Amino acid sequence: MLETILFYLFAATSVTTALLVISRVNPLMSALWLVVCLASSAGLFALLSAPFLAIIQILVYAGAVMVLFLFVIMLIDISKEALKPRVVRFAKVVAVSITGYFTVIVCIVLWRPSFLPAPLADAAYGDVKVLGKMLLTDYAVPFELASLLLLAAMIGAVVMGKKKL
Amino acid sequence: MNWFQFLGLTLPWLIVLGASLTVLFLGTLMKRGAHAVSMAISLLSLVAALFLSWQHWVADVTVSMGMMSFGRMTFLGWMVIAIASIFTVLLSHDYLARRKLGHPEYYSLILLSTVGMASLIAGSHLMLIFLGIEVMSIAVYALAGFLRHRLSGNEAALKYFLTGAFASAFLLLGIAFIFGTTKTMDLTVLAEQLPTVLSGDMASWFLFGVAMVLIGFAFKIAAVPFHAWAPDAYDGAPTPITQFMATAVKAAAFFALLRVASPLVVAVGPGWAKTLWLLSAATMIIGNLAALMQDNLKRMLAYSSIAHAGYALVAFPTLSTQTPELVHGVIFYLIAYTFMTAGSFAIVAFAQGQGESADVSHVAGLAKRHPWMAASFTIFLLSLTGFPPTLGFFGKYFLFSGAIKNGSIGLVVLALLSSAVSAYYYLRPIVVMYFHESREGVLERTSPATSLVAVVTIAFLAILYFGIFPSDLLAIVQRSGM
C-alpha cells in the first residue's frame, strides 16, 4: 500500500516538474525544477528495487550534471530580451500532430501489450556488490572501453575548446 | 576467462593505446620536437600492431572471449586498419608541419580512434560494437575540426558530430529493442535464437530493432540516403583525416557490418534483402551522379567513397553464412579501396601545398613538374574506375562475380553502368594533369616530403603488384575464413 502511494507521489511530482521545466521562461528556474524532476525519478528507481541506479541518478544527474548546467546558465549573460516568452510558429499544427502521435502511441500500448512482463527480480538484483563484481569480470572489457570513450571525448573537448593548444 | 590469453591477443592494440597515452604526456613535457617524436611513436606503435596482427593471423587462433571473437578475419581487419592508419600518420607529419599545427593530441586521437576500430572489428557483442563505434567516432569528430581557424573545418566537425550522434542514437535504440526482445546482445547467441524470435509474437519489435541498427550503420558507412554529412565533413577536415575517414573508418564499419549483417539482417527474410538492394542501388547511383559535378577533388573523392560503399553493399542482399565468396569479395574490395583512396588523398594533400583549397586546377601541370606523382595519381584513378590490370579492377571483378553467382544480376548491372559513368569524373583530373598548363603559383616547385612519397610508393606498388598477381591477395583473404 505504502509503495503504491509513494509511486503515485513520485510519478505525479516528476510529471508536474517536467511540465514546469519546459514552461518556465527563466532557464535558471527550469534547471532547478529539473533537479526536482530527476530526484523524483530517482525515487521511482528506488521503488523498482534498484537502489544503485537511484543513488547514481541523484549523485550524477541531480548533482554533478545539474551543477554544470547552472554554471553554464549563470556564466552566459542572458539579457532581458532573450527571457521573453518565445512564440513558436505553427504552434497549433505542432500541438495537434504531437497530440495525435501521443494518442496513437497510447492506443498501441493499450491495444496490444506485447512486451514481456518484467521478470521477477531476485534479491541481489540492483545490488551494488553484484554490479561491481559484474563490471570487473564479465563486463570488464566494455567497462574499460567506456573509460577510453570518456578519455577520447575529453581530449576532443580540449582540442576543440582550448584557446592556445 | 583466461586473461593472459586475452591480453596476448589484444596486445597489438594495447601497444597502440600505450603509445596514445605516451604521446599525450609528451605534449606537456616537451616543448620542442614534440611533433616529430609523437609522429615517430605513433608510427612505430602502428607498425608493431600491424606486425603482431600478422603474427596472430599466421598462428591462426580462433577463440571467443571477453565479448570479442578472435579469428583470422578479425586479424585481417586489424591489419587493414593498421595500414590505413599508418598512411594517415605518414601523411599528417608534412601536412601539419606546413600549417604549424603539429600537436601531439592529434596523434593521440588517431591512435585512440584505431583502438576503437579494433574493438569494433573484434566485437561479437552489440555492447562492445557500440562502444567501439563511439570511441572511433568521437576521436574523429575532434580530428575533423582540427583546422580550427578554418570556418569550413568547424562546419565539418559540427556536422559530423551532430549527424554521428544522431546515428548513434538510432543504433543504441535498435540494440535496446533487440535486447528487449531476445534478452541477449551476444551475436552468436542471437543467431541461434533467431528462428524462435522471428516466429514468436515479438517479431515486429525485433525487426524494428534490426532496422534501427541498419540505419545506424548506414550513417557510418555514408550510404544514401544517410550520406548528406559526408561531402562537407570530408571537405572541411584536414586532408590526412579525410583519408582516415574514407579508408580506416569505413573499412572498420564494413567489417563490423559484415559480422552483424550475416546473422541479423539477412536471415530475417526477403524484405530486408530488398531494403539492402535499394540501399546499395541508391548509394551507387547518387554517389556517382553527384561526383560528376564536383570541381573540388576532396568532394569528388567524398562522393566517390559514397559510390564505393554502394558497390560493397552489392554483396549484402544475398549475404549469409553459406556464402563465403561474398564476404571475401567485400573484404578484397575494401583492401583495394583502402590502397587506392589513401594514394589519391596523398596526391591531393601534395597538390594543396600550404593552402586549403582542393580545386582540380591545383593538379594542372603536375605531369611536367612531378611526372612520377602524376603517373601514380593516374594509376590510382584508373584503379578507382576499375581498369585492368589494377587492383580496383580485380576488386570489382571478385565482388560482382560473387554477387552474380548468388543471383543479384540486376544489382550488378546497375553497378557496372554506374561505374561506367564514374570513368568521366575519374578521368578528368588525369586530363587536367597532363594537358592543362599550370597557373602561376598554384603548384609550388617544392619537392614532396619523404613520408608523402612513401605513402604514394606503397600504394602504387600494392595496386600494381596485386593488380598483376591478384591471386596472392585473394589467397590471404580466402584463408581468413568467415
Side-chain angles (χ1 to χ4, degrees):
Chain A
M1 188 60 202
L2 179 69
E3 271 191 25
T4 325
I5 294 172
L6 279 176
F7 169 77
Y8 281 113
L9 188 70
F10 283 132
T13 323
S14 56
V15 171
T16 329
T17 47
L19 285 175
L20 286 171
V21 170
I22 55 169
S23 59
R24 293 307 89 189
V25 173
N26 190 339
L28 210 60
M29 295 310 288
S30 296
L32 288 175
W33 281 118
L34 189 57
V35 176
V36 183
C37 178
L38 291 171
S40 50
S41 44
L44 289 177
F45 286 141
L47 285 178
L48 287 168
S49 62
F52 182 72
L53 207 56
I55 295 167
I56 286 296
Q57 171 90 356
I58 290 186
L59 277 184
V60 176
Y61 283 94
V65 173
M66 285 318 298
V67 168
L68 216 65
F69 269 35
L70 289 176
F71 265 130
V72 171
I73 294 171
M74 288 173 176
L75 278 177
I76 51 170
D77 192 29
I78 303 170
S79 61
K80 287 242 168 70
E81 284 292 301
L83 287 183
K84 278 185 185 162
R86 275 163 296 168
V87 183
V88 183
R89 270 197 197 182
F90 307 114
K92 280 181 185 158
V93 180
V94 174
V96 167
S97 49
I98 288 179
T99 316
Y101 175 71
F102 185 68
T103 324
V104 168
I105 297 248
V106 170
C107 284
I108 288 175
V109 171
L110 292 179
W111 206 268
R112 191 164 159 249
S114 71
F115 280 109
L116 297 177
L120 280 178
D122 51 349
Y125 175 78
D127 195 29
V128 182
K129 195 173 166 187
V130 177
L131 195 71
K133 211 176 216 171
M134 279 198 21
L135 277 183
L136 292 177
T137 51
D138 295 354
Y139 290 85
V141 179
F143 181 69
E144 294 298 332
L145 207 58
S147 67
L148 276 190
L149 177 65
L150 293 177
L151 179 68
M154 219 155 66
I155 303 174
V158 170
V159 164
M160 300 302 287
K162 204 176 165 206
K163 220 167 216 163
K164 190 176 173 298
L165 209 60
Chain B
M1 178 168 151
N2 183 350
W3 281 102
F4 282 107
Q5 195 189 0
F6 183 77
L7 292 180
L9 284 169
T10 49
L11 187 64
W13 303 100
L14 293 178
I15 292 176
V16 172
L17 180 59
S20 163
L21 300 179
T22 318
V23 163
L24 202 56
F25 277 111
L26 271 183
T28 59
L29 297 176
M30 290 174 71
K31 282 292 160 230
R32 278 195 185 169
H35 184 202
V37 174
S38 46
M39 186 254 184
I41 293 178
S42 316
L43 194 60
L44 277 180
S45 69
L46 284 170
V47 172
L50 176 63
F51 175 73
L52 286 173
S53 307
W54 171 247
Q55 289 299 310
H56 285 328
W57 192 90
V58 172
D60 193 10
V61 197
T62 310
V63 64
S64 292
M65 55 165 67
M67 301 186 178
M68 291 186 174
S69 82
F70 300 95
R72 277 195 159 171
M73 200 46 111
T74 312
F75 302 136
L76 185 69
W78 285 1
M79 286 192 270
V80 174
I81 57 165
I83 291 173
S85 320
I86 288 173
F87 284 153
T88 308
V89 169
L90 282 174
L91 281 185
S92 296
H93 183 262
D94 179 50
Y95 187 87
L96 292 180
R98 277 167 187 272
R99 287 160 182 76
K100 300 196 170 48
L101 275 172
H103 302 298
E105 290 86 354
Y106 176 92
Y107 294 98
S108 180
L109 281 173
I110 289 184
L111 297 182
L112 266 181
S113 179
T114 49
V115 173
M117 287 173 200
S119 47
L120 169 62
I121 289 173
S124 64
H125 194 275
L126 288 173
M127 192 190 284
L128 210 63
I129 288 178
F130 176 74
L131 280 169
I133 283 194
E134 282 303 284
V135 174
M136 166 181 98
S137 318
I138 283 187
V140 180
Y141 299 150
L143 287 169
F146 205 77
L147 300 173
R148 295 189 301 176
H149 57 277
R150 205 183 156 205
L151 202 60
S152 63
N154 298 337
E155 184 197 344
L158 192 66
K159 260 191 188 155
Y160 193 26
F161 171 66
L162 289 179
T163 49
F166 205 56
S168 301
F170 271 100
L171 190 61
L172 203 56
L173 187 66
I175 291 173
F177 266 93
I178 290 174
F179 180 66
T181 48
T182 61
K183 291 184 184 160
T184 180
M185 285 193 269
D186 193 300
L187 286 176
T188 27
V189 181
L190 208 57
E192 286 162 12
Q193 286 190 0
L194 210 59
T196 17
V197 174
L198 285 175
S199 55
D201 56 349
M202 307 294 284
S204 50
W205 298 112
F206 175 75
L207 291 180
F208 182 71
V210 174
M212 289 284 143
V213 169
L214 185 64
I215 289 175
F217 270 105
F219 261 109
K220 291 293 167 198
I221 58 172
V224 174
F226 309 105
H227 68 292
W229 59 272
D232 288 328
Y234 279 35
D235 186 27
T239 311
I241 296 306
T242 314
Q243 182 257 322
F244 192 62
M245 281 152 66
T247 55
V249 173
K250 195 161 268 195
F254 259 109
F255 267 95
L257 186 58
L258 276 175
R259 198 186 285 268
V260 173
S262 52
L264 275 189
V265 180
V266 181
V268 167
W272 291 99
K274 249 176 231 156
T275 314
L276 283 164
W277 197 99
L278 280 176
L279 199 67
S280 167
T283 309
M284 334 191 254
I285 293 171
I286 292 183
N288 276 320
L289 288 183
L292 286 177
M293 292 165 237
Q294 304 304 324
D295 283 329
N296 180 325
L297 283 176
K298 269 162 100 177
R299 289 187 88 87
M300 187 271 270
L301 284 170
Y303 279 111
S304 121
S305 103
I306 294 173
H308 283 274
Y311 300 147
L313 280 172
V314 165
F316 280 76
T318 48
L319 191 76
S320 77
T321 40
Q322 276 81 49
T323 53
E325 70 273 11
L326 282 176
V327 176
H328 297 150
V330 173
I331 286 169
F332 189 96
Y333 197 76
L334 282 177
I335 296 172
Y337 172 75
T338 301
F339 280 116
M340 50 212 193
T341 306
S344 308
F345 275 112
I347 306 279
V348 172
F350 172 62
Q352 277 185 310
Q354 311 268 16
E356 304 299 349
S357 148
D359 196 83
V360 71
S361 64
H362 285 256
V363 295
L366 195 68
K368 266 185 202 152
R369 294 190 180 168
H370 301 283
W372 278 106
M373 298 291 255
S376 328
F377 198 24
T378 310
I379 293 289
F380 300 148
L381 289 170
L382 289 179
S383 179
L384 281 166
T385 324
F387 274 111
T390 55
L391 190 53
F393 168 74
F394 286 103
K396 282 206 175 88
Y397 174 76
F398 291 131
L399 187 65
F400 294 162
S401 64
I404 287 177
K405 218 181 278 171
N406 287 286
S408 4
I409 294 165
L411 203 52
V412 171
V413 170
L414 264 182
L416 290 177
L417 285 178
S418 64
S419 58
V421 171
S422 78
Y424 174 79
Y425 64 83
Y426 284 131
L427 294 181
R428 191 163 156 232
I430 301 181
V431 173
V432 173
M433 272 193 306
Y434 281 93
F435 302 113
H436 286 209
E437 284 299 317
S438 66
R439 280 188 276 145
E440 200 54 45
V442 170
L443 193 72
E444 297 169 83
R445 287 187 177 276
T446 49
S447 54
T450 325
S451 51
L452 200 145
V453 176
V455 174
V456 174
T457 317
I458 296 170
F460 179 78
L461 290 179
I463 286 170
L464 275 193
Y465 178 81
F466 291 128
I468 296 166
F469 307 105
S471 52
D472 291 7
L473 186 59
L474 190 67
I476 294 177
V477 173
Q478 277 173 342
R479 282 166 63 192
S480 299
M482 285 286 280

